Amino acid sequence: MTLKPAHLLVALLVSATLPAMAQNLAVVNGKPVPSSRADIMVKQMTAQGQQDTPELRAMIKDELINREILIQEADKLGLGTHGDVKAQIEIARQSILIRALVADYLKKNPVKDADIKAEYDKFKTQASDKEYHARHILVETEDEAKAIITKLKGGAKFEDLAKQSKDPGSANNGGDLDWAAPSAFVKPFSDAMVSLKKGQLLETPVHTQFGWHVIRLDDVRAAKIPTLEEVKPQIVESLQQRKLQAYQQQLRSKATIK
């Protein structure tokens, strides 16, 4: 079949308009709503665990049409020219662009496997080979702490006296600090704790920036060091943050700031 020139022109015009129409989700008061907006929202919502379904896309389409109606009304009222609104729009624009810049930088400068392994080896070297289960009672003065130690030596229960502790996190739990590595505590406390034997009460109170501590060590066990795969996400995030900080400092050093 051979098309006549006039028919050929109509066919070309129709074919040229079809892709443009397909790119629009809807047309509101003569203004198109691009399908790309729906694609972005679908991507965001599926990233949060929702399923990409016809129902979801219908809901998103309805939402985008409602938004377009509202934004057209806001534009008609000139709200976008208000100073505070313009400032908020600019802040939102900056946030979007900065996220895009960060994603682009990390894509071009990925964390290397060798760096991850080196960071994990460093972590293993610094990690304690033991975990300690201690209790403490925190008070304001040394005299208070010494009086508590005297009562404990006289047979008083640690759990009962712990109720007067200034540490709200452990006071209602018998002074229990749960299992932790020495690095979880300030140095004067951890130094005193690791000097104790299982079940031993420290006879001299320890002073830190928080106050005076009465310490008892309930138990000690070998520490379980997590595998590389278990901590890899945290290591990658930490290394990415270091890269981004260095990148930001590099850009700032080149900037003219008055």
Side-chain angles (χ1 to χ4, degrees):
M1 175 181 177
T2 303
L3 292 175
K4 295 181 180 180
H7 293 163
L8 180 59
L9 178 59
V10 171
L12 288 172
L13 289 172
V14 170
S15 64
T17 57
L18 282 175
M21 292 174 63
Q23 291 175 3
N24 295 329
L25 192 69
V27 178
V28 180
N29 297 325
K31 187 172 182 181
V33 179
S35 297
S36 57
R37 295 183 191 174
D39 294 336
I40 292 172
M41 290 188 70
V42 168
K43 186 176 180 181
Q44 291 173 343
M45 297 180 78
T46 53
Q48 296 172 0
Q50 296 201 43
Q51 295 295 319
D52 183 357
T53 63
E55 292 77 14
L56 176 65
R57 287 184 175 269
M59 181 187 73
I60 289 174
K61 177 179 179 179
D62 196 50
E63 171 65 17
L64 288 173
I65 289 173
N66 288 336
R67 289 189 183 192
E68 184 59 37
I69 292 170
L70 293 172
I71 199 69
Q72 287 183 21
E73 184 64 19
D75 287 340
K76 188 187 299 182
L77 296 174
L79 299 180
T81 63
H82 292 191
D84 58 336
V85 176
K86 289 173 68 176
Q88 291 179 59
I89 291 172
E90 177 58 22
I91 290 172
R93 187 187 75 87
Q94 289 180 357
S95 297
I96 293 168
L97 286 174
I98 289 171
R99 283 199 297 271
L101 176 66
V102 167
D104 180 71
Y105 177 79
L106 291 177
K107 183 178 180 181
K108 294 175 180 176
N109 300 273
V111 174
K112 298 177 181 177
D113 289 340
D115 294 333
I116 297 172
K117 180 66 165 56
E119 191 69 13
Y120 177 70
D121 291 341
K122 180 181 176 183
F123 159 74
K124 282 203 304 183
T125 301
Q126 296 175 346
S128 172
D129 60 346
K130 293 180 181 178
E131 289 182 326
Y132 296 78
H133 189 181
R135 295 177 185 268
H136 84 141
I137 301 171
L138 179 64
V139 291
E140 287 284 354
T141 68
E142 184 179 12
D143 288 340
E144 288 178 274
K146 287 181 176 179
I148 289 172
I149 291 173
T150 299
K151 291 179 182 178
L152 290 170
K153 286 183 176 180
K157 290 186 176 182
F158 198 101
E159 292 78 358
D160 293 336
L161 297 182
K163 293 177 181 178
Q164 63 187 285
S165 177
K166 285 172 46 186
D167 177 8
S170 65
N172 295 324
N173 197 27
D176 193 354
L177 295 172
D178 208 349
W179 289 99
S183 59
F185 306 103
V186 291
K187 195 171 188 308
F189 187 101
S190 63
D191 287 347
M193 180 182 68
V194 300
S195 71
L196 296 172
K197 296 179 180 179
K198 179 180 175 179
Q200 185 179 1
L201 172 72
L202 190 68
E203 297 192 3
T204 304
V206 175
H207 186 240
T208 71
Q209 65 264 43
F210 304 108
W212 290 86
H213 303 260
V214 175
I215 305 171
R216 188 182 80 193
L217 179 63
D218 284 357
D219 206 351
V220 184
R221 69 183 182 189
K224 180 184 179 298
I225 299 176
T227 65
L228 173 58
E229 289 304 313
E230 288 174 330
V231 294
K232 187 175 180 179
Q234 296 95 311
I235 292 176
V236 170
E237 183 178 359
S238 175
L239 292 175
Q240 285 178 337
Q241 289 301 318
R242 290 186 209 171
K243 280 179 171 288
L244 290 171
Q245 288 173 3
Y247 179 51
Q248 182 176 345
Q249 290 172 357
Q250 178 188 2
L251 293 176
R252 188 181 177 94
S253 68
K254 296 177 181 178
T256 302
I257 302 173
K258 296 181 180 180

